[in-house]
Amino acid sequence: MTFMMQMYRFLASRRKLWMLPIIFMTVAIGGVLILAHGSVIAPFIYTLF
């Protein structure tokens, strides 16, 4: 949790808050790809990317 707070403070102090949605979506898509790696729906997800 401290990493998240440090990242937020860094982005806020550098006026880079517009990067938060980009970081969030990158982490979310990465999480979906990791979770779907061994599942039945993996071929369908990989065709999207």
Side-chain angles (χ1 to χ4, degrees):
M1 191 64 178
T2 58
F3 174 74
M4 299 291 281
M5 290 301 295
Q6 288 177 358
M7 180 66 87
Y8 177 75
R9 287 183 193 145
F10 172 76
L11 293 174
S13 67
R14 303 276 194 253
R15 303 278 186 198
K16 303 285 186 193
L17 290 178
W18 57 270
M19 291 181 70
L20 283 176
I22 297 169
I23 294 170
F24 177 75
M25 289 305 294
T26 303
V27 170
I29 290 172
V32 167
L33 289 176
I34 289 172
L35 289 176
H37 180 70
S39 71
V40 177
I41 61 169
F44 300 108
I45 291 177
Y46 287 129
T47 58
L48 295 176
F49 300 105

